[in-house]
Amino acid sequence: MGRSIPDGFVLGAATSAFQIEGAADRRGETIWDRFIRVRGLPDTGLVACDHVDRLDEDLDLMAELGLQAYRFSVAWARVLPEGHGRPDAAGLGFYDRLVDGLLERGIVPWLTLYHWDLPQALDDVGGWRVRDTVGRFTDYAALMVGRLGDRVPNWITHNEPWVASMLGHRDGVFAPGGTDMGEALTVAHHLLVSHGTAAQAIRAAAPAARVAAAIDCRPAVPATDREEDVVATRHFDGFRNRWFLDPLFGHGYPDDMVDAYRTAGRFDARPGGDGPVRDGDLDLIAQPLDVLGLNYYTGIRISAGREEDETPDVAPGPNPPEGHTEMGWPVQPDVLHGFLLRLQRDYAPASIMITENGASFSDGPDAEGRVHDVRRTAYLHDHLAAAIDAREAGVPVEGHLTWSLLDNLEWTQGFAQRFGVIHVDHTTQRRTVKDSGWWLRDAIASRTLPDVPGPSAGA
Ligand code: IFM
């Protein structure tokens, strides 16, 4: 008999538009289409998981698993091909059908407005580097809430603004490929301000809707107790976690990081200073947050010299060492538990939804067509147990959305990483529920975390 799942704790799964939808010929170009083409990466986004044309099948699979909630994102360029202007009726119709299909099956929708797929037409005129895009995003949010606000109760403005700003504008490894830290911090600021303005637009049109932001956090510990590693870890935490959490919760940008960035001539975060921060922006960012979305995969050990570097010690790829996933990420459910307690202590959020958590392992169907992905099942078991422990310790964790429903397109890595609880054959598009998917179904149906046979993913 596994441990019980508390009443009211919600279990579901998550995806994003660019990673599953396909039907790229029926929407506007996005920065990811352009980035993939210019960099010569595998052109997997054109078809992805063909979700647009397999919507009913995918909805039925969600129902078969008994999901209580489903998080998806809207492709901005599917509803507004140029990012603004006249909406595309077929694009809006697709999201109508998706939301109605969820509701018919008793699955609560969690809608994300922005999961990194900026319309290319907006990037051509400055993208998130310019303030105008805040207004464009607010208008897009108003369009979507006007259309779906009567049926979607949970609205996530942004997914992982750290990734969108830093990987996309500092490191050059994600779209649109910028390589400047000052630009990346400007982008981060515009993302945060647009969270606030979109929150206002959502509330104006749908007062009962709940507003959330999905923040990817990477909890850090010093590699040793040497002073320089402790100082580096504090900096990493500011760079990676507090820069986003502090202003969202009304604390403003963290003083130590404001000083560090300004002294280094990288960014002026003072309202009315030399940077993009205007008077009133911090109040805009700090709109009341109904739900903090937490995307958690792993923690990190930091040593001096790596205070802004989260390159994994283990390279991504198949056959990872024990206790790691194929992303090279260590499996650390205890870190999730500790971080949830910290969120409660430092920010006292009204509620926390774990909006992403999951593991990449490439197990495929055996001769009988079963996918025995015991490492993923163990990962989910242990992280759910950690989340439930935190809830029982008083942290308002309302649920957990597994990343991901389907094996999907892992950005620059194409189909090389498989996060799904449903296997997708990317040649035939055939879906096969993995053992982890059946385990999730059993957990939801029995309101317990069934024991997992074999070794723990973190062993
Ligand atoms: O696939 C991504 C997702 O788009 C954002 N969060 C992390 C996932 C795994 O890398």
Side-chain angles (χ1 to χ4, degrees), residues 99 130 243 350 374:
V99 168
V130 300
W243 192 259
V374 68

Side-chain angles (χ1 to χ4, degrees), residues 186 262 267-277:
T186 297
R262 191 155 157 255
F267 190 71
D268 183 351
R270 294 169 308 164
D274 289 339
V277 185

Side-chain angles (χ1 to χ4, degrees), residues 151-162:
R151 285 161 286 161
V152 173
N154 303 297
W155 290 75
I156 298 171
T157 54
H158 281 285
N159 181 70
E160 302 188 359
W162 182 86

Side-chain angles (χ1 to χ4, degrees), residues 333-351:
D334 51 324
V335 173
L336 171 61
H337 179 256
F339 195 72
L340 287 167
L341 298 182
R342 171 186 158 187
L343 287 174
Q344 171 73 354
R345 185 192 68 220
D346 291 352
Y347 303 106
S351 181

